[in-house]
Amino acid sequence: MTSQIKTFLLLALLSGLIIVLGGLLGGRTGVIIAFGMALLMNVGSYWYSDKMVLSMYGARELAEEDAPALHRMVAELAANAGVPKPRVCIVPEDAPNAFATGRDPQHGVVAVTEGIMRLLTPEELRGVLAHEMAHIANRDILIQTVAGVMGSAIVGIANMLQFSAIFGMGRSDEEGGGSGISALLMALLAPIAASLIQMAISRSREYLADDTGARLCGQPGYLADALAKLSSWNQQIPMRQGNASTAELFIVAPLFGGGMASLFSTHPPIEERIARLRAMR
């Protein structure tokens, strides 16, 4: 199953959760209100996502004369992807990492940390930039925003459903709604399910960006070698600033944990990503 099909099915699951919660709540009004609030919040975040993220990490735009080789790589990869050349920014962080943002290819931004510029060879850096260009070309920011709208709507509806179930204001079984206990259980479990689905969407888009980036770069081994280095060094040098909510933007997860933490990771296992890229050779 391709990453595109997986993403479609996961978005369909989020839609299904909204419908089920709406039925349990007892009408369309609560669904519309919650979805409307989520839409306003997430569309606002989507529209200003580049400014917010770049500001959060203290990124500054690099002029072409400041990093001609970096700009040349970005321009070549953008041409291969058939998208406008994105802005190029540097993040004052020792942790080696990179991310892409921007609401569409016309407003794309590629950001790299100072650490990644020191660590990687030009070939490995090209692989990383190709991965980030793939995110821009595949419109992943838009897809993640849609998932975010649905996820926020589910949380809002679930909160209303909890209130309704606890105080007995939901529809009765005879009226077609759920019982108080079943409604309360659904209200508690639905946000967890929505979070897991959103993380699965993020993982699916990472696989797709690896595949697309390997084609843009022409050498899957460049990205595979870069991921091996980044995985090792990011566990030794943590990010000094930032927020867990932005972890999905980075090429490798900047936050780490053991045990069950991997279940809630926004990224696929790094070993699997490397193995897939090695197989493409």
Side-chain angles (χ1 to χ4, degrees):
M1 188 183 297
T2 67
S3 295
Q4 298 280 34
I5 294 174
K6 286 180 181 177
T7 300
F8 175 80
L9 292 176
L10 290 166
L11 288 173
L13 279 175
L14 285 175
S15 301
L17 275 176
I18 292 175
I19 294 171
V20 170
L21 285 172
L24 288 172
L25 186 61
R28 297 178 182 178
T29 304
V31 177
I32 293 172
I33 293 173
F35 195 86
M37 291 177 61
L39 186 64
L40 287 174
M41 290 186 295
N42 284 277
V43 167
S45 298
Y46 164 67
W47 197 260
Y48 298 104
S49 61
D50 53 347
K51 295 180 178 64
M52 290 189 296
V53 174
L54 294 175
S55 175
M56 182 183 298
Y57 288 96
R60 64 178 177 84
E61 189 166 356
L62 280 176
E64 194 161 349
E65 57 269 22
D66 294 332
L70 181 62
H71 272 271
R72 189 162 51 249
M73 281 187 199
V74 171
E76 291 173 359
L77 292 166
N80 291 346
V83 298
K85 178 176 176 286
R87 293 159 54 202
V88 180
C89 293
I90 188 80
V91 177
E93 278 280 356
D94 291 328
N97 223 319
F99 65 87
T101 186
R103 62 183 181 270
D104 55 40
Q106 287 69 40
H107 297 85
V109 181
V110 170
V112 294
T113 65
E114 293 175 349
I116 203 172
M117 295 293 291
R118 291 192 294 266
L119 176 66
L120 300 187
T121 66
E123 293 79 15
E124 292 164 348
L125 182 60
R126 183 180 178 85
V128 167
L129 293 172
H131 173 97
E132 299 307 331
M133 196 67 64
H135 276 308
I136 293 173
N138 293 336
R139 297 179 178 268
D140 285 334
I141 303 300
L142 173 61
I143 290 169
Q144 289 172 349
T145 299
V146 171
V149 168
M150 292 186 179
S152 295
I154 287 169
V155 171
I157 298 169
N159 287 338
M160 288 190 288
L161 187 56
Q162 287 182 45
F163 184 84
S164 175
I166 291 171
F167 292 97
M169 293 187 295
R171 297 170 80 181
S172 67
D173 292 331
E174 290 77 13
E175 294 174 303
S179 68
I181 294 177
S182 64
L184 185 57
L185 284 175
M186 189 64 187
L188 294 172
L189 294 176
I192 298 174
S195 295
L196 291 175
I197 292 171
Q198 286 179 264
M199 289 171 188
I201 290 173
S202 178
R203 292 185 181 195
S204 180
R205 304 314 290 183
E206 284 301 310
Y207 279 134
L208 181 61
D210 283 346
D211 294 345
T212 305
R215 289 195 296 272
L216 295 178
C217 177
Q219 294 289 343
Y222 290 173
L223 179 54
D225 293 342
L227 289 175
K229 278 188 181 179
L230 295 176
S231 175
S232 173
W233 280 91
N234 265 275
Q235 296 180 57
Q236 301 176 46
I237 307 175
M239 297 284 286
R240 296 194 309 268
Q241 55 190 337
N243 191 293
S245 64
T246 63
E248 64 186 22
L249 293 177
F250 288 86
I251 188 167
V252 292
L255 305 173
F256 295 89
M260 291 293 289
S262 60
L263 178 65
F264 299 97
S265 174
T266 56
H267 291 63
I270 203 79
E271 298 80 10
E272 289 185 18
R273 295 173 66 187
I274 292 172
R276 285 164 57 98
L277 289 164
R278 302 274 191 224
M280 290 179 69
R281 284 179 170 176

